[in-house]
Amino acid sequence: MIPEEEVEEKIRRIAARISEDYQGKVVHLVSVLKGSVFFTCELAKRITVPVTMDFMSVSSYGDQTESSGVVRIVKDLDVPLEGKDVLVVEDIIDTGRTLHYLMNILRDRGPASLRLAALLDKPDRRVVTVEADYTCFQVPDEFVVGYGLDCAQQYRNLPYIGVIESESK
């Protein structure tokens, strides 16, 4: 769906915008595990202002393929957010349920600023309003993998964004 070169170029552009927007500040990246790790690392390498990082894991899926709408924190942050310029980094915005919940929780922790960066945005699936400040690509309502996105923990390591095709096609 999206070749490796195109993904890399878009990340470079987003990193340049972030660097400009956070000029004179330290940007604290909060990577939402597991899918956003690849995007977070590539983004961090290209941001030219100082960067700190932390990781958080949340779940709203359990063993299902559809979000239950009930979000739980599986791994919380290691450091407080109070007074920090926080940029949440996510692999994909889908229904918006999890991110809406997560952004509200993080906002309550008193950061100086709170923004959202997403590798992919799937607006056709949105049931809760969530707007990313930085988005690399909008994608149609298809099951995408690669660059951190998985299907049953497979395909995360693909250097491009691909689509899982059903065998019935």
Side-chain angles (χ1 to χ4, degrees):
M1 176 183 273
I2 307 170
E4 179 178 6
E5 300 76 24
E6 200 173 327
V7 174
E8 289 177 4
E9 175 56 30
K10 192 63 91 146
I11 292 173
R12 266 193 286 285
R13 284 193 218 151
I14 295 294
R17 281 187 45 218
I18 291 167
S19 299
E20 187 177 305
D21 291 350
Y22 286 90
Q23 195 62 46
K25 299 178 180 179
V26 174
V27 61
H28 185 70
L29 303 179
V30 172
S31 181
V32 182
L33 297 174
K34 296 177 186 168
S36 72
V37 170
F38 290 78
F39 178 42
T40 302
C41 291
E42 292 305 314
L43 190 61
K45 289 189 316 190
R46 291 167 175 85
I47 293 174
T48 58
V49 298
V51 169
T52 58
M53 250 191 242
D54 206 345
F55 300 88
M56 185 171 215
S57 181
V58 295
S59 175
S60 65
Y61 288 84
D63 293 331
Q64 310 302 312
T65 57
E66 287 289 323
S67 173
S68 66
V70 177
V71 180
R72 70 184 180 90
I73 296 173
V74 179
K75 184 230 176 281
D76 208 340
L77 299 171
D78 294 330
V79 297
L81 296 182
E82 191 169 340
K84 295 184 185 316
D85 290 297
V86 176
L87 179 61
V88 175
V89 183
E90 182 61 289
D91 54 356
I92 189 166
I93 305 172
D94 197 313
T95 65
R97 286 184 181 122
T98 303
L99 272 173
H100 179 76
Y101 175 83
L102 180 61
M103 295 299 280
N104 284 333
I105 284 177
L106 297 180
R107 194 173 290 109
D108 289 344
R109 295 182 181 187
S113 66
L114 181 64
R115 293 182 179 172
L116 173 62
L119 177 63
L120 303 177
D121 185 9
K122 199 185 285 188
D124 292 345
R125 297 259 307 151
R126 199 83 80 249
V127 296
V128 177
T129 302
V130 173
E131 295 292 329
D133 299 279
Y134 310 97
T135 305
C136 291
F137 301 97
Q138 272 196 4
V139 293
D141 186 11
E142 296 188 68
F143 199 94
V144 291
V145 294
Y147 227 90
L149 294 127
D150 73 302
C151 176
Q153 297 297 327
Q154 298 293 309
Y155 310 112
R156 285 191 197 278
N157 62 322
L158 295 176
Y160 54 84
I161 307 297
V163 176
I164 296 288
E165 294 182 0
S166 67
E167 293 179 26
S168 62
K169 285 185 178 179

